[in-house]
Amino acid sequence: MPSERDIRTRIRSVRNVSQITRAMEMVAASKMRRAQQRVGASRPYSERLRAMLADVAAMASGADAQEYPLLRQRPVRRVEVILVTGERGLAGSLNSNIIRRATRFLVDEMESQHVEAQLITVGRKGRDFMRRYQREIVAEFIAIGDRPTLADVTPIARIAMDDYISERVDAVYIAYTRYVNTLTQRPELVKILPIEPPEERQKGKYGEYLFEPSPEAVLEQILPRFVEISVYQAILESIASYYSAQMVAMRNATDNAKTVVSELRLALNKARQTRITNEVAEISAGANALGEVAG
Amino acid sequence: MPTLTFELVTADRVVLQEEGVDMVVAPGADGVLGILPRHVPLITTLQPGELRVKRGGDETSLIVTGGFMEVTPEKVLVLADAAERSDEVDLARAEEARRRAEERLAGSRETVDAARADAALRRAMVRIRVGQRRRSSGRVRDDRG
């Protein structure tokens, strides 16, 4: 049985830990709110760009005739996966979930089909893991921060597009954590190259569009933008997911610490009670003994 | 009299959203475009330049660095790479950007770099030109506060 002093020391240390996790929870909560706003703020652009792409792709001649490098489908022998993870841990199972999703894809869906794979890692955790397992990493981005601008993430999209256009890879995927709500974040793996133009176009609403300079020229400019925006969105979602997972993990840790403290408190009280009882028993036994001698 | 709805969106925010617009003047791929209500449907790329939105006697001036514009009879939607209000232009920063771009242009022989530096130079020039003009005329409506 641990002594009262030991228990007191433990209570103090658990309390200190809970103060730290509580502070981290609050920091994560405020970062999460801002990251959420950023996800929301970037949606209008990507939705409208998507709609525009659908309109343009439908009008441009040869949009399906393999004329545009970013639309061109070809047999897949080698793929590239952009893996977006957190910079650090302390976020529950967030990082391991997305890494597991990516690994499963690499092993079950690619290797079993004899498709080679290379990786672009965004975030330290994914990089460290993939390095440890000696996966081929062609580019790594770390410390992109909590509020990347579109310009900060375009290099990632550029590498992917270069690799695709030069036929070093035949498809590009991005693995990221979709932000559903504070409690739910879902690991996702989606194909971003070749682009499959969305088809939800509001056909005939305005008749034919005029294009300047030409549908083909517009399409050529929209396509790379679309890839950049897809990557940007995935990263914003991952950041929001990271902070909500961290907030929840830290809240759980704080709650856990509270339970531990109350259990320790109980143990401490019991120990004190036992000691007092023992002391009283000793004193009365002593008194009895004296009385017998005197009497 | 019919009017237009105008919307200018960048990757990270909705910059301007306005109803009852009478005319939009935009730097289209093939030259400056004046868009009035009931314009034929049009999709165009944009060059770096000034974008003006007129409503009644008011005019809002913005700078875009490129992007896309979709015009329908009742709406103008601009998806800009980057945009700022002309009266918010940081002239010192634009000058600095111009200087850097010129330096790079003088130094680089690689075509990709040259093209990028050239694009940066054009953006900086637009900023400086429009920024200066706006500052001297002071005609820009300020509806922020």
Side-chain angles (χ1 to χ4, degrees):
Chain A
M1 178 131 194
S3 75
E4 281 173 57
R5 230 234 313 240
D6 291 344
I7 297 176
R8 280 213 179 82
T9 315
R10 280 216 58 202
I11 289 179
R12 216 172 302 129
S13 85
V14 172
R15 252 203 209 123
N16 286 341
V17 170
S18 80
Q19 271 168 7
I20 291 166
T21 56
R22 174 127 195 89
M24 288 183 72
E25 177 193 332
M26 286 189 318
V27 172
S30 93
K31 286 189 172 174
M32 176 194 79
R33 268 193 300 276
R34 257 175 287 152
Q36 251 169 273
Q37 271 165 16
R38 241 167 257 125
V39 171
S42 74
R43 261 182 202 146
Y45 185 90
S46 69
E47 277 163 14
R48 287 166 176 77
L49 190 72
R50 203 182 170 73
M52 207 185 272
L53 174 61
D55 286 341
V56 180
M59 298 291 297
S61 65
D64 39 22
Q66 313 261 319
E67 250 179 62
Y68 302 87
L70 295 176
L71 295 175
R72 196 175 295 148
Q73 310 253 3
R74 53 178 178 259
V76 176
R77 269 164 306 165
R78 192 177 176 82
V79 298
E80 185 161 77
V81 177
I82 304 173
L83 173 62
V84 188
T85 59
E87 276 299 298
R88 297 200 285 163
L90 298 175
S93 55
L94 180 104
N95 287 322
S96 50
N97 282 347
I98 188 61
I99 289 173
R100 191 181 319 122
R101 177 76 187 87
T103 311
R104 222 175 49 214
F105 174 77
L106 292 175
V107 175
D108 296 350
E109 290 173 55
M110 296 293 112
E111 276 166 24
S112 65
Q113 307 293 316
H114 306 289
V115 175
E116 294 168 30
Q118 61 186 45
L119 286 153
I120 298 177
T121 60
V122 182
R124 198 165 265 141
K125 282 284 169 181
R127 180 198 67 180
D128 292 351
F129 180 91
M130 289 302 171
R131 244 194 214 162
R132 207 155 47 236
Y133 287 87
Q134 282 155 17
R135 296 262 173 207
E136 186 182 342
I137 300 175
V138 292
E140 51 182 63
F141 293 85
I142 54 167
I144 54 164
D146 298 337
R147 31 175 195 285
T149 62
L150 181 59
D152 291 334
V153 308
T154 44
I156 302 169
R158 287 254 164 79
I159 292 176
M161 286 188 275
D162 282 353
D163 284 348
Y164 186 74
I165 292 170
S166 65
E167 306 200 0
R168 274 192 288 274
V169 300
D170 308 305
V172 179
Y173 295 81
I174 188 161
Y176 70 102
T177 311
R178 170 181 287 278
Y179 176 84
V180 182
N181 56 45
T182 312
L183 293 174
T184 321
Q185 298 89 37
R186 198 172 301 135
E188 301 248 351
L189 194 143
V190 295
K191 191 198 270 186
I192 55 170
L193 283 171
I195 298 170
E196 282 150 15
E199 276 170 16
E200 66 254 28
R201 100 175 255 262
Q202 335 122 346
K203 217 172 261 156
K205 193 174 168 199
Y206 298 111
E208 301 281 277
Y209 277 93
L210 283 179
F211 287 91
E212 277 185 31
S214 66
E216 292 75 22
V218 176
L219 184 57
E220 223 151 82
Q221 285 198 41
I222 284 192
L223 290 173
R225 259 291 115 142
F226 189 68
V227 176
E228 287 166 9
I229 281 297
S230 308
V231 173
Y232 181 60
Q233 278 257 306
I235 289 175
L236 291 184
E237 296 252 359
S238 295
I239 293 170
S241 297
Y242 175 78
Y243 284 114
S244 19
Q246 182 167 66
M247 184 189 81
V248 172
M250 289 302 111
R251 176 175 300 163
N252 288 343
T254 312
D255 290 349
N256 222 350
K258 265 186 217 143
T259 321
V260 171
V261 167
S262 75
E263 274 163 14
L264 287 172
R265 220 161 245 291
L266 192 66
L268 175 68
N269 289 343
K270 269 190 188 149
R272 203 185 58 216
Q273 201 82 56
T274 316
R275 193 200 60 209
I276 292 169
T277 312
N278 283 345
E279 275 170 15
V280 170
E282 272 163 32
I283 289 166
S284 62
N288 282 347
L290 281 177
E292 269 165 33
V293 171
Chain B
M1 190 151 133
T3 53
L4 288 162
T5 305
F6 176 82
E7 215 173 38
L8 173 62
V9 184
T10 61
D12 53 4
R13 67 190 171 125
V14 177
V15 180
L16 185 68
Q17 206 165 20
E18 217 158 42
E19 303 282 329
V21 171
D22 298 313
M23 183 178 181
V24 176
V25 179
D30 292 345
V32 176
L33 291 168
I35 311 285
L36 295 170
R38 291 205 288 239
H39 194 282
V40 291
L42 166 81
I43 294 181
T44 177
T45 54
L46 296 178
Q47 293 181 28
E50 185 184 15
L51 195 133
R52 286 181 290 160
V53 181
K54 293 182 186 175
R55 193 177 70 172
D58 291 333
E59 178 178 312
T60 313
S61 165
L62 302 132
I63 290 170
V64 294
T65 60
F68 311 96
M69 177 167 74
E70 178 169 1
V71 179
T72 58
E74 61 269 14
K75 186 170 177 185
V76 174
L77 166 65
V78 176
L79 298 180
D81 297 346
E84 60 192 319
R85 302 173 62 103
S86 299
D87 43 356
E88 285 171 353
V89 170
D90 185 341
L91 273 179
R93 234 187 88 202
E95 282 286 358
E96 170 67 23
R98 180 174 76 168
R99 203 184 49 68
R100 262 202 324 268
E102 279 170 347
E103 250 167 45
R104 259 190 301 159
L105 213 49
S108 84
R109 241 156 276 131
E110 235 189 290
T111 48
V112 180
D113 280 358
R116 253 176 224 169
D118 189 50
L121 180 61
R122 284 200 353 243
R123 286 197 300 270
M125 297 291 270
V126 166
R127 280 211 171 86
I128 292 167
R129 202 182 63 227
V130 179
Q132 271 170 349
R133 182 148 49 79
R134 288 290 145 181
R135 192 148 305 181
S136 48
S137 72
R139 258 179 63 230
V140 179
R141 179 171 57 101
D142 188 351
D143 59 5
R144 274 169 303 165

